[in-house]
Amino acid sequence: MALAVVGVAGAAVLPDDRADIFYSDYKGGGMDITGKSVLVRKKFSEQFAVEANYFVDTVSGASVDVLSNASVIKDERKQKNISLEYIHDKTLYNLAYTNSTERDYISNTTHFSLSQDMFGDLTTVTLGFTDSRNSVGENDGTAVRPLVSWLGHSQSRSFEGGVSQVLTKDLIAGVTVEVITDQGYLANPYRSIRYCADPGTTVPCLGGAVYGAQIYPNTHTSTAVEGRAKYYLPYRAAAAVSYRYYSDTWGVKGNTVELGYTQPVANLWILEGRVRHYSQNHATFYSDLFPSVAYQNFEARDQNLAAQTNTTFGVKATYAFLPDGWKIFKRGTVTGDFSHIHFKYSDFRDTRDYQQPDFTGPAGTEPLYQFSATVYQIYLSMFF
Amino acid sequence: MQRLLRMSLAGLFLLQAGCGIQPWVKPYERDRLADPIMSWDRDAVSGAYLDHIYDSREGSRGATGTAGGGCGCN
């Protein structure tokens, strides 16, 4: 999906020109992902701006359900994005194109949105449409010698609408609704189902378990609604709250709550803290362990579709420098961001033998899986 | 047809009523709302990166304003 912001606020004025360099590191659940990005945004007039972004993710390791049934993976994702913005009177038009390429996954996305300020500029209405075409493959070779077989294609369409409303001189609130519909090859090729080896047995499987191919539906439609508000406190600081409800045709229902606090210090620092909690039930065709190989028409054991909760604690510090500018630059900021996320699954089990060498119980009684991840981000932003 | 006409008239009335709304927060009262600390998302790349992490590990998606591309299959 496009990187372009379809935010619920911000129409009628184009943001400042800026150039960013960005570095990130994600570690957790057996994966190590480093990201590097360059972003340049330039206004060519008061009405027209162009933004270009190049992002490279380097992945090493593999998540637990991949490790249970496949080799360790080393891969790179390159994402190129260009976004055009045009403003006319109180309407902001945005057109963006994104290409994301991995060795075994190619995605091309086109996005269009418009934002309209109205009612004395207290209200901003945003409408967006995104079309994404994806090619899905599987690397059957090694990290050094890849052997990719292309399994199919998928298409995704997203319709988004948002309203942002200034409620008081200290309070702004917004609501965003997004409906996404996909069709085509929607399975993750690196996941497998697990089922009882002895036919006719029930879970837990006394005779052990074996792995088999997933069977996914080829359509998926989801609806997400997010409400959020930000309040300027009596002293110079801000508090934010958001809630998102999610529901889809695969039976997943999710709830996301996030609280944030922003505190500037001496016009040089902006310090931020956030807490995010997420929970979901499992998809109707998900099971950690099926009684038999063809137990139902659709079968999946993808940890993303399992019942789970996760909680994030994040802190962020932004330091402003060059307040009087330098050469072509008006000012600059450097930002450090750290997040700790704990993922906990209630029906996805850790089946890696080497993680619990003393475990001798039947399949289906392994310990439930959980892991923690850390995310570091550091970036330099120059405004001109 | 009559129902469509009634709905169109109701829509026109609402639009006309909307045009008459006076902004209850005047432009000179919006200095706090214009403060950078009140921005929803000051850094698009960072926001999109965090959303991509969640999208790759959760069943939910959408309505966050930003999202990254890619599979997140591994």
Side-chain angles (χ1 to χ4, degrees):
Chain A
M1 212 170 287
L3 270 175
V5 175
V6 197
V8 289
V13 179
L14 291 172
D16 289 341
D17 293 347
R18 65 188 288 174
D20 287 48
I21 50 173
F22 173 92
Y23 176 82
S24 63
D25 183 56
Y26 171 94
K27 277 190 181 67
M31 302 186 72
D32 190 350
I33 307 171
T34 56
K36 301 176 193 77
S37 172
V38 178
L39 177 139
V40 178
R41 179 186 172 81
K42 174 78 184 133
K43 269 189 281 196
F44 287 92
S45 70
E46 289 306 309
Q47 289 185 298
F48 180 65
V50 177
E51 184 176 293
N53 177 229
Y54 183 65
F55 197 109
V56 180
D57 259 344
T58 306
V59 182
S60 61
S63 55
V64 60
D65 43 5
V66 176
L67 279 176
S68 303
N69 199 37
S71 57
V72 173
I73 286 165
K74 197 171 179 65
D75 203 354
E76 197 169 69
R77 177 173 74 98
K78 293 177 180 167
Q79 180 172 292
K80 290 157 268 184
N81 168 259
I82 186 155
S83 174
L84 311 176
E85 284 184 344
Y86 175 71
I87 198 164
H88 177 72
D89 194 16
K90 293 180 182 299
T91 309
L92 174 68
Y93 302 88
N94 177 276
L95 180 65
Y97 170 75
T98 305
N99 168 269
S100 175
T101 304
E102 294 163 70
R103 203 154 37 195
D104 50 8
Y105 194 88
I106 299 169
S107 174
N108 288 293
T109 300
T110 311
H111 167 82
F112 175 75
S113 70
L114 61 86
S115 297
Q116 171 78 42
D117 281 357
M118 55 182 70
F119 304 143
D121 296 341
L122 295 183
T123 306
T124 303
V125 176
T126 302
L127 297 171
F129 172 73
T130 305
D131 178 89
S132 186
R133 314 280 170 115
N134 312 306
S135 299
V136 187
E138 183 179 13
N139 180 12
D140 296 320
T142 64
V144 184
R145 290 191 175 192
L147 182 64
V148 176
S149 48
W150 292 98
L151 304 173
H153 303 277
S154 67
Q155 182 178 5
S156 174
R157 285 183 176 151
S158 156
F159 304 86
E160 186 174 27
V163 178
S164 175
Q165 180 67 52
V166 171
L167 294 172
T168 71
K169 59 185 180 179
D170 299 313
L171 178 63
I172 185 166
V175 177
T176 304
V177 180
E178 185 170 8
V179 176
I180 306 174
T181 180
D182 315 275
Q183 59 179 7
Y185 185 93
L186 304 179
N188 181 333
Y190 296 102
R191 306 312 198 231
S192 299
I193 63 157
R194 209 163 62 113
Y195 61 95
C196 294
D198 293 338
T201 55
T202 54
V203 176
C205 316
L206 297 173
V210 291
Y211 289 92
Q214 301 182 113
I215 312 166
Y216 262 63
N218 57 10
T219 57
H220 182 207
T221 300
S222 65
T223 305
V225 183
E226 185 184 74
R228 50 184 171 176
K230 200 158 196 181
Y231 182 67
Y232 194 103
L233 295 164
Y235 51 97
R236 191 181 170 222
V241 59
S242 71
Y243 169 73
R244 179 180 67 165
Y245 176 74
Y246 172 88
S247 173
D248 69 19
T249 52
W250 289 358
V252 175
K253 293 191 192 317
N255 294 280
T256 313
V257 180
E258 187 163 350
L259 302 172
Y261 179 79
T262 308
Q263 177 66 65
V265 178
N267 278 332
L268 287 175
W269 292 90
I270 296 179
L271 307 178
E272 292 170 76
R274 67 179 179 278
V275 181
R276 177 187 187 272
H277 182 73
Y278 172 77
S279 62
Q280 73 175 53
N281 63 332
H282 66 75
T284 49
F285 56 94
Y286 168 88
S287 178
D288 179 65
L289 182 58
F290 291 94
S292 58
V293 63
Y295 186 69
Q296 56 194 50
N297 57 345
F298 297 120
E299 295 176 321
R301 188 182 174 267
D302 186 324
Q303 69 186 97
N304 294 13
L305 301 180
Q308 59 171 292
T309 60
N310 67 62
T311 306
T312 305
F313 293 95
V315 289
K316 177 175 174 178
T318 301
Y319 176 72
F321 59 96
L322 298 177
D324 301 320
W326 178 71
K327 305 278 186 186
I328 63 166
F329 299 108
K330 292 177 186 164
R331 62 196 170 91
T333 59
V334 60
T335 304
D337 189 313
F338 171 76
S339 297
H340 178 274
I341 315 171
H342 187 71
F343 295 86
K344 201 171 175 182
Y345 299 83
S346 49
D347 58 2
F348 179 81
R349 297 182 182 278
D350 189 349
T351 58
R352 296 169 299 169
D353 295 337
Y354 56 86
Q355 285 294 100
Q356 50 267 334
D358 300 329
F359 178 76
T360 55
T365 60
E366 300 90 347
L368 292 167
Y369 185 55
Q370 57 179 310
F371 73 98
S372 291
T374 53
V375 186
Y376 296 91
Q377 300 175 68
I378 184 160
Y379 44 97
L380 174 72
S381 308
M382 299 298 294
F383 299 85
F384 55 97
Chain B
M1 189 65 193
Q2 274 191 332
R3 192 176 168 193
L4 187 67
L5 189 66
R6 274 201 299 270
M7 285 173 68
S8 302
L9 285 172
L12 280 172
F13 174 76
L14 282 174
L15 273 177
Q16 186 275 333
C19 292
I21 291 175
Q22 294 300 311
W24 57 89
V25 180
K26 307 291 182 199
Y28 56 83
E29 294 177 316
R30 297 179 197 174
D31 54 326
R32 292 179 165 189
L33 297 170
D35 192 311
I37 66 169
M38 288 295 282
S39 169
W40 292 119
D41 187 11
R42 284 182 289 120
D43 303 301
V45 175
S46 172
Y49 178 75
L50 282 173
D51 282 340
H52 181 65
I53 287 173
Y54 293 123
D55 279 356
S56 303
R57 285 153 190 80
E58 296 173 350
S60 298
R61 59 183 185 173
T64 56
T66 60
C71 179
C73 291
N74 303 330

